[in-house]
Amino acid sequence: QVQLVESGGGLVQAGGSLRLSCAASGGTFSRYAMGWFRQAAGKEREFVAAINRIGSSTYYAHSVKGRFTISRDNAKTTVYLQMNSLKPEDTAVYYCAADSQYIKTTPSYNDWGQGTQVTVSS
């Protein structure tokens, strides 16, 4: 079990940027593949980005490719999501997730953070 705490969400204008952070504790961070998901009001949780244990492989949803970048700092036990060129449709609660075995592009990770709200105004 690993504890995950997201931060960095907020209200931004369309075209702006935010950097989300997810701090992990209670586990060996380098053993976990990490992912970011989001859930807009009234919609199901969807995949945003994922990164493997050492940061050598990343995956992105088509909707965010070229705008968002996932990265990790294993020394700081933190994963990041840099979000640029934000659009109103990016508005959602963003969740950090950890999996002890595999990098995944589906919401089937072992552990989840509490989420952080991102709101993009038009």
Side-chain angles (χ1 to χ4, degrees):
Q1 184 178 2
V2 60
Q3 302 289 326
L4 304 173
V5 180
E6 302 96 333
S7 62
L11 174 64
V12 297
Q13 293 183 330
S17 298
L18 282 175
R19 190 191 193 198
L20 305 184
S21 298
C22 174
S25 62
T28 303
F29 184 69
S30 61
R31 293 182 179 178
Y32 293 90
M34 303 295 296
W36 285 98
F37 293 78
R38 66 188 183 187
Q39 188 166 20
K43 297 183 178 180
E44 64 184 8
R45 191 167 299 186
E46 66 175 354
F47 169 75
V48 175
I51 190 166
N52 69 349
R53 295 178 180 183
I54 62 174
S56 59
S57 296
T58 58
Y59 298 88
Y60 297 94
H62 181 266
S63 60
V64 307
K65 189 174 296 183
R67 300 189 297 121
F68 291 9
T69 302
I70 187 171
S71 62
R72 68 190 297 159
D73 187 334
N74 285 354
K76 295 182 179 179
T77 67
T78 301
V79 64
Y80 305 95
L81 185 67
Q82 178 66 47
M83 305 186 294
N84 298 326
S85 301
L86 283 162
K87 304 174 181 179
E89 51 262 45
D90 295 319
T91 295
V93 176
Y94 282 70
Y95 296 91
C96 178
D99 194 272
S100 61
Q101 293 185 328
Y102 306 109
I103 185 170
K104 301 173 181 179
T105 58
T106 57
S108 57
Y109 284 67
N110 297 131
D111 299 289
W112 295 82
Q114 82 291 342
T116 185
Q117 177 70 47
V118 172
T119 302
V120 184
S121 62
S122 60

